[in-house]
């Protein structure tokens, strides 16, 4: 159930090593008369490191290469010293100050290279998984970021990559790499340090896996469920198109959601636009709702994160997709407003506003512009869109799409988030 990465996350979304504005640099802000005051704080990431800026573009903290916990109020750094040992630092992402340090013997790094995939952080932010970077072995270090449980080292024969870790820190889920896009999901029991027999598979489905639990697909994106119990990943089957692999991290079972709009009928265009599938969670009248959306194809599905099935799907009008692969890959291609009634999705051009009550298209913002990331302010009022080239952030009225401000960045970023207040 996935490819590889280094965070995250962020979770991801998660994000892994991130970055943008250096401490001796400043962003520039161009404001229109529509600009309004806000206390929002933005987190901008790239392979070079993570920067935290205010909504006027002023640097708040330069975090360096870190992995973000949910909400981005806390981040984690793994620093290798000259002796080859690792210090895991828990950082206050509001100030950049280190709050706690855990020493690990040996060299440990984020679970994969920076990219769009799992970060190594549990959904509740308590557990951090690091990997041994040596290519000839598979080993992980499970660290309690609260500092109350001693780190646990797990060594496993074979070729495995990190997939997820449960909120209780007892189940480490791994992808066993096989030929081509074939893989299967395994679980290691953290307490015993043992790889459990068999694969984690939906026993009801034979469409995406064989009798040995070997599945076929390329990882696109993932997100934890509302309570951390389920972990949802979008995969692209090489001939049938996109599906969602839902992993229950508590019971160590899985279910496959095979009724996304293009599964079983994806042509060349649909396959080329696979990177635009995004997952976004929202809550409407105290009910959690998961959306799978592809703004390049104009397709959206409402997934019940408890019944693990598509409840409703729809299409919406978008410009004709540009032939061939996308020129850029969104890092956070969808976002839900905090009140749960608006879903924003990125296309190859423009931002689509979808009414979550009926999945209808309400408006298209910034129709001629391309973006690679979205984030919504906690007060429902402001939409932040990171330009496709990573050099600026467009600040829009979240309801009307009216431009308020453009923040020019001193160096490019490829992910964006709003820090939790």
């Amino acid at each position: 159930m996935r490819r590889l990465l280094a965070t995250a996350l962020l979770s991801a979304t998660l994000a892994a090593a991130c970055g943008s504005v250096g401490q001796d640099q400043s962003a520039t802000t161009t404001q229109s008369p529509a600009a309004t005051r806000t206390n929002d704080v933005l987190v901008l990431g790239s392979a070079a490191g993570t920067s935290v800026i205010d909504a006027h573009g002023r640097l708040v903290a330069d975090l360096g290469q870190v992995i973000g916990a949910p909400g981005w109020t806390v981040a984690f750094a793994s620093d290798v010293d000259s002796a080859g040992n690792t210090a895991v630092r828990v950082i206050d992402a509001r100030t950049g100050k280190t709050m706690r340090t855990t020493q690990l013997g040996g060299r440990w790094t984020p679970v994969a290279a920076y990219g769009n995939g799992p970060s190594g952080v549990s959904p509740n932010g308590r557990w951090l998984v690091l990997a041994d970077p040596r290519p000839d072995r598979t080993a992980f270090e499970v660290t309690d970021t609260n500092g109350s449980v001693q780190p646990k080292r797990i060594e496993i024969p074979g070729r495995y990559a990190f997939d997820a870790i449960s909120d209780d820190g007892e189940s480490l889920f791994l992808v066993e790499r096989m030929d081509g896009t074939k893989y299967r999901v395994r679980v290691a029991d953290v307490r015993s340090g043992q790889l459990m027999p068999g694969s984690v598979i939906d026993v009801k489905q034979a469409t995406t896996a064989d009798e040995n639990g070997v599945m076929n697909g390329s990882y696109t994106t993932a997100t934890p469920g509302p309570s951390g119990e389920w972990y949802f990943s979008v995969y692209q089957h090489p001939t049938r198109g996109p599906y969602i692999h839902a992993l229950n991290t508590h019971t160590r079972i899985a279910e496959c959601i095979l009724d996304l709009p293009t599964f079983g009928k994806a042509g060349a265009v649909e396959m080329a636009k696979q990177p635009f599938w995004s997952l976004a969670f929202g809550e409407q009248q105290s009910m959690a709702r998961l959306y799978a959306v592809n703004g390049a194809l104009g397709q959206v599905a409402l997934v019940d994160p408890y019944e693990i099935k598509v409840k409703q799907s729809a299409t919406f009008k978008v410009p004709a997709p540009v032939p061939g692969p996308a020129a850029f890959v969104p890092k956070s291609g969808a976002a839900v407003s905090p009140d749960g009634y608006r879903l924003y999705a990125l296309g190859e051009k423009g931002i689509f506003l979808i009414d979550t009550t009926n999945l209808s298209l309400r408006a298209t913002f910034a129709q001629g512009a391309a973006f690679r990331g979205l984030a919504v302010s906690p007060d429902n009022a402001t939409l932040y869109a990171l330009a496709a080239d990573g050099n600026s952030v467009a600040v829009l009225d979240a309801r009307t799409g009216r431009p308020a401000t453009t923040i020019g960045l001193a160096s490019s970023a490829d992910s964006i988030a709003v820090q939790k207040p």
Side-chain angles (χ1 to χ4, degrees):
M1 157 186 148
R2 50 135 280 163
R3 188 224 49 143
L4 5 148
L5 137 89
T7 186
L9 136 283
L10 27 196
S11 128
T13 176
L14 314 151
C18 311
S20 95
V21 184
Q23 283 194 312
D24 58 346
Q25 299 173 310
S26 60
T28 58
T29 306
T30 303
Q31 295 187 340
S32 77
T36 56
R37 291 187 178 182
T38 178
N39 293 321
D40 293 338
V41 176
L42 307 181
V43 181
L44 299 166
S46 78
T50 296
S51 291
V52 182
I53 65 172
D54 65 18
H56 302 286
R58 295 186 291 257
L59 183 70
V60 174
D62 185 355
L63 304 181
Q65 293 188 334
V66 296
I67 301 165
W72 273 104
T73 57
V74 174
F76 312 112
S78 57
D79 306 318
V80 179
D81 63 23
S82 58
N85 295 314
T86 304
V88 177
R89 292 186 295 119
V90 181
I91 300 168
D92 183 338
R94 295 186 177 96
T95 64
K97 294 182 179 179
T98 296
M99 299 185 293
R100 186 167 49 256
T101 300
T102 300
Q103 298 292 335
L104 303 177
R107 182 182 295 269
W108 300 92
T109 63
V111 291
Y114 182 83
N116 192 29
S119 64
V121 179
S122 61
N124 62 5
R126 177 173 178 178
W127 305 96
L128 171 66
V129 180
L130 298 173
D132 188 319
R134 289 175 288 184
D136 59 340
R137 65 198 297 261
T138 297
F140 300 97
E141 191 88 31
V142 180
T143 304
D144 176 12
T145 62
N146 288 349
S148 57
V149 177
Q150 287 296 312
K152 176 69 175 183
R153 185 170 304 181
I154 299 174
E155 297 188 27
I156 301 171
R159 300 172 61 243
Y160 295 88
F162 173 85
D163 195 35
I165 185 167
S166 59
D167 272 345
D168 59 12
E170 295 186 357
S171 299
L172 175 62
F173 295 90
L174 306 171
V175 171
E176 183 178 7
R177 307 171 195 167
M178 309 183 85
D179 294 337
T181 57
K182 293 182 179 180
Y183 68 97
R184 60 178 179 171
V185 179
R186 307 288 300 276
V187 60
D189 182 79
V190 175
R191 285 191 180 184
S192 67
Q194 297 298 309
L195 188 67
M196 304 304 289
S199 303
V200 181
I201 184 175
D202 183 351
V203 296
K204 304 185 300 298
Q205 293 289 352
T207 308
T208 58
D210 63 18
E211 65 276 7
N212 296 315
V214 177
M215 290 178 278
N216 200 351
S218 301
Y219 172 88
T220 298
T221 189
T223 186
S227 64
E229 179 179 4
W230 289 93
Y231 186 77
F232 299 90
S233 301
V234 176
Y235 278 82
Q236 164 113 336
H237 189 277
T239 60
R240 306 202 70 193
Y243 63 94
I244 297 176
H245 188 281
L247 170 68
N248 190 306
T249 63
H250 293 184
T251 61
R252 300 177 175 177
I253 64 171
E255 296 189 33
C256 290
I257 303 172
L258 303 178
D259 43 0
L260 289 183
T262 57
F263 185 77
K265 48 183 179 288
V269 172
E270 288 80 10
M271 299 295 267
K273 306 309 173 186
Q274 168 73 4
F276 276 84
W277 278 104
S278 296
L279 296 174
F281 263 101
E283 189 173 283
Q284 196 175 99
Q285 297 180 349
S286 300
M287 291 296 295
R289 296 155 70 95
L290 172 64
Y291 302 94
V293 60
N294 188 314
L297 299 174
Q299 298 172 345
V300 60
L302 169 63
V303 179
D304 188 311
Y306 303 105
E307 296 184 27
I308 316 301
K309 65 179 182 181
V310 172
K311 303 289 285 188
Q312 184 183 357
S313 60
T315 60
F316 53 94
K317 187 176 178 58
V318 301
V322 178
F328 62 95
V329 176
K331 271 292 184 64
S332 48
V336 181
S337 60
D339 63 11
Y341 287 97
R342 284 169 279 145
L343 169 65
Y344 302 92
L346 292 179
E348 292 184 274
K349 291 287 182 69
I351 304 168
F352 303 103
L353 170 58
I354 298 167
D355 186 336
T356 60
T357 61
N358 56 15
L359 301 188
S360 64
L361 180 66
R362 295 289 301 274
T364 303
F365 299 163
Q367 296 186 32
F371 302 97
R372 67 185 311 127
L374 290 175
V376 189
S377 63
D379 64 0
N380 277 298
T382 307
L383 179 66
Y384 299 95
L386 178 65
D389 63 9
N391 292 328
S392 63
V393 176
V395 184
L396 311 173
D397 185 297
R399 294 175 176 83
T400 67
R402 184 182 180 186
T405 304
T406 299
I407 303 173
L409 304 179
S411 58
S412 64
D414 58 13
S415 69
I416 186 170
V418 175
Q419 196 174 73
K420 185 178 178 181

